[in-house]
Amino acid sequence: MMQECWILKCSGIMKFLAASASASLLALRALGATVSTRAPNVKAITLDIVNAQGAPDGFQRSLVTANGTYPGPTIVADMGDTLVVTVNNRLDDPTMRRSTSIDFDGIFFSTDNAFEEGTPFVTACPIAPNASFTYTIPLGTQSGTFWYHSQLSVQYVDGLRGAIVIRNPNDPNIDLYDVDDESTLIQVGDWWHNTSTSLLAGYVATGIVPVSDSGTFNGVGRFQGGPEVPFAVVNVEAGKRYRFRIINVSARNVFTMSVDSHNLTIIETDGVATVPLTVNQVEMLAGQRYSVVLEANQPVDNYWFNAPFVGGDPTRNLNQNATLSRGILRYVGAPDAEPTAPMSLGSGTALVEANLRPVEAKPAPEPDMNITLNLVVTTGKAQWNVNNVSYLSPEVPTLVKILDGANSSADFNVTENTFILPANATIQVTFPPNDDDEAHPFHLHGNNFFVVKSNSSDEVNTENPIRRDVSGVGAAGTILRFRTDRPGPWFFHCHIFWHMQAGLATVMASGLDDIRAEDHPNAAWEALCPAYDALPTELQ
């Protein structure tokens, strides 16, 4: 079980490494989020969004961070708590975006707090430099593994990403593991030496999605020809069972997780308790999360915790060597050394998403409305289209328009790609097969969905499909269903953020009358748009 220490400032979860020109390394422990109990079941967290120097893979650069670290501090709460997250924007580096906005991936929102959801130009305006905003988020009955990141443009490429863990003392799989604490949280992500603004400019100019320089495992990595940054170490004790909460915090890359000589038993998928499924490899698209149980039942030694990735043509970035993306699983009593055995990449049973089942089995409700989304890229341009529309953020956020009386698609710009949905209905979204060579991890804000047909299989499962909030869309076709019993304007987009920025997004807006009746934004939210709109372009 996790210890209470994890909630407090005593937790030092992640390391991020800074290297001087001579490649000497300075390891810095990430500070835990400042958390206090203001009232029963309220967790107050402060995230100072600041620029900081760092070198997660040995290459020194300016970062965009929460509390000065990459990844940012982990937010830990219990099921039923309310998070009160104060975000202070202190960004001052003119080479990057200086406004910001935080999204809490996988957390449900409802009619009365849609304005707290944090999607720029959908549910709110960004937070201007030297301004603050407090998100109040009741967690309700949710538990599991989530994360937060900047939702503004592709800003989280610069480092603004962190984990959220919601603990459930009545986890239906609790008897399967002995340890679930700060040491068992794994965050893997793509890393980039250039700033997001310069990378985005290159993408717009060429239509070629940027290729990352490296991958990081718990905040550290290596690139080809770079310094030998020490691999992150995960310590285990023989005979114990460990719940590893793994989050792919990438803006593009797909990671395949495995541990040499060990099985992984999946028990959670994107915050949904999962019927235990034992595999050897887990492929994770950007934004996806899994909890896996590893039994430390091998001889005392060091083993590779493998996290190779794919994400574009590696010949476009010669810094990239995906096999350098890994950590070390170290048994108590093993030497302080790297494993001597070669990595067992690409071997064993791989996860098939269609084989996942929720512990709480529910049939997918019959659809009341059907939507087909066709995804097409404009050749040679940084432009993606959904049903022939490339999404562009409006100047006036979707929620503002709804509160002001918008009732139909005609009240929104065509480029907002906004679907008007009835409240308390089941919506089926069908993504036909496409021949793109990169699976698109589609993510729904504010809700999750039933994966009726996974891109991993031809099976159609309406009896007990897995529920999650990020699922792949690609060559085999995907069918999703979700309920609109949490009315709001919810962003539905590709979690490859380069694609999202290029238009691969929609807004699913449901229950507009309910929103107007129940959603009452506060003065701080109402001040966001005037403050942002008054900024000169270089500060936006």
Side-chain angles (χ1 to χ4, degrees):
M1 293 290 293
M2 287 183 250
Q3 301 300 312
E4 189 67 16
C5 178
W6 197 6
I7 300 179
L8 303 177
K9 206 169 181 179
C10 56
S11 111
I13 288 196
M14 297 297 155
K15 297 180 179 179
F16 92 94
L17 301 172
S20 66
S22 63
S24 63
L25 301 174
L26 175 64
L28 300 176
R29 278 197 181 276
L31 296 175
T34 303
V35 179
S36 62
T37 302
R38 302 192 321 180
N41 301 321
V42 172
K43 296 292 187 298
I45 298 104
T46 298
L47 297 178
D48 293 323
I49 310 306
V50 298
N51 295 114
Q53 288 291 313
D57 65 356
F59 180 88
Q60 186 82 17
R61 58 158 293 187
S62 177
L63 316 181
V64 175
T65 70
N67 294 10
T69 66
Y70 167 74
T74 298
I75 296 172
V76 183
D78 294 315
M79 187 172 68
D81 285 350
T82 294
L83 298 180
V84 179
V85 183
T86 298
V87 175
N88 301 313
N89 183 359
R90 302 294 181 260
L91 296 173
D92 57 8
D93 188 331
T95 69
M96 291 178 277
R97 291 294 292 263
R98 280 181 274 181
S99 294
T100 195
S101 187
I102 304 298
D103 175 48
F104 303 87
D105 254 26
I107 302 298
F108 295 161
F109 288 80
S110 57
T111 315
D112 61 352
N113 72 335
F115 73 94
E116 305 272 13
E117 194 268 334
T119 303
F121 313 110
V122 178
T123 55
C125 279
I127 305 168
N130 298 312
S132 300
F133 185 76
T134 297
Y135 301 90
T136 300
I137 309 168
L139 298 177
T141 59
Q142 281 194 279
S143 64
T145 309
F146 308 89
W147 64 301
Y148 65 90
H149 59 80
S150 170
Q151 186 71 37
L152 180 62
S153 183
V154 290
Q155 187 182 55
Y156 86 76
V157 163
D158 294 312
L160 181 42
R161 334 174 196 180
I164 303 172
V165 174
I166 306 174
R167 305 180 299 187
N168 180 3
N170 299 312
D171 174 15
N173 289 317
I174 199 167
D175 291 338
L176 298 182
Y177 54 90
D178 306 305
V179 182
D180 176 23
D181 61 20
E182 63 178 288
S183 70
T184 61
L185 180 63
I186 309 293
Q187 298 178 72
V188 293
D190 40 24
W191 192 250
W192 318 75
H193 292 173
N194 294 319
T195 64
S196 64
T197 48
S198 60
L199 291 167
L200 184 57
Y203 178 34
V204 170
T206 65
I208 300 171
V209 179
V211 174
S212 71
D213 293 278
S214 62
T216 59
F217 183 111
N218 280 358
V220 295
R222 292 182 183 180
F223 65 95
Q224 188 69 29
E228 293 189 352
V229 177
F231 291 115
V233 175
V234 179
N235 294 295
V236 297
E237 184 177 343
K240 291 188 176 181
R241 302 164 303 169
Y242 293 81
R243 175 179 181 164
F244 289 113
R245 298 174 182 264
I246 308 176
I247 309 171
N248 183 355
V249 299
S250 292
R252 181 182 190 181
N253 290 358
V254 180
F255 283 78
T256 300
M257 309 300 298
S258 66
V259 181
D260 288 351
S261 304
H262 293 75
N263 293 329
L264 302 174
T265 299
I266 299 168
I267 62 167
E268 179 219 342
T269 301
D270 292 359
V272 174
T274 304
V275 174
L277 177 65
T278 299
V279 297
N280 302 108
Q281 303 175 64
V282 180
E283 182 181 271
M284 302 185 66
L285 305 181
Q288 290 185 328
R289 296 93 61 202
Y290 290 103
S291 283
V292 301
V293 174
L294 177 144
E295 185 174 354
N297 57 6
Q298 296 300 304
V300 171
D301 205 345
N302 292 291
Y303 299 86
W304 290 117
F305 205 134
N306 306 302
F309 59 86
V310 294
D313 182 356
T315 65
R316 294 188 183 280
N317 190 337
L318 298 182
N319 284 334
Q320 188 182 104
N321 180 344
T323 66
L324 295 177
S325 176
R326 46 181 144 146
I328 298 172
L329 185 83
R330 176 167 296 153
Y331 278 67
V332 173
D336 183 4
E338 294 182 4
T340 55
M343 295 186 293
S344 57
L345 299 177
S347 62
T349 302
L351 167 67
V352 175
E353 182 188 53
N355 293 338
L356 294 167
R357 297 289 182 268
V359 168
E360 184 184 356
K362 291 182 181 179
E366 287 299 307
D368 301 299
M369 182 176 180
N370 292 278
I371 297 172
T372 298
L373 299 182
N374 289 288
L375 315 182
V376 179
V377 65
T378 301
T379 304
K381 294 184 178 181
Q383 180 177 316
W384 275 91
N385 306 278
V386 181
N387 293 357
N388 297 316
V389 176
S390 183
Y391 178 85
L392 290 175
S393 298
E395 293 183 4
V396 178
T398 310
L399 181 57
V400 174
K401 293 181 179 181
I402 293 171
L403 293 174
D404 285 345
N407 270 320
S408 70
S409 295
D411 294 322
F412 302 93
N413 301 329
V414 171
T415 52
E416 293 179 63
N417 220 355
T418 298
F419 292 81
I420 305 303
L421 312 175
N424 301 308
T426 299
I427 312 301
Q428 176 165 296
V429 180
T430 300
F431 294 90
N434 65 67
D435 57 3
D436 185 42
D437 61 358
E438 192 165 17
H440 300 280
F442 256 73
H443 169 55
L444 179 62
H445 287 219
N447 298 264
N448 62 12
F449 42 69
F450 297 83
V451 184
V452 171
K453 185 197 172 299
S454 169
N455 187 54
S456 67
S457 169
D458 291 331
E459 176 189 10
V460 174
N461 175 15
T462 61
E463 294 183 6
N464 59 348
I466 193 64
R467 301 184 299 277
R468 64 184 317 168
D469 57 73
V470 185
S471 190
V473 173
T478 302
I479 301 174
L480 311 174
R481 291 181 190 172
F482 65 92
R483 293 283 299 165
T484 58
D485 48 7
R486 298 185 186 91
W490 307 126
F491 210 30
F492 187 39
H493 64 90
C494 179
H495 222 300
I496 297 174
F497 260 46
W498 307 104
H499 291 170
M500 181 202 74
Q501 185 64 21
L504 200 51
T506 68
V507 175
M508 297 290 165
S510 62
L512 306 193
D513 288 337
D514 293 334
I515 296 169
R516 283 186 283 270
E518 300 178 26
D519 199 24
H520 304 292
N522 56 31
W525 178 87
E526 292 176 347
L528 288 174
C529 286
Y532 180 81
D533 293 341
L535 293 172
T537 302
E538 64 270 17
L539 293 180
Q540 289 187 337

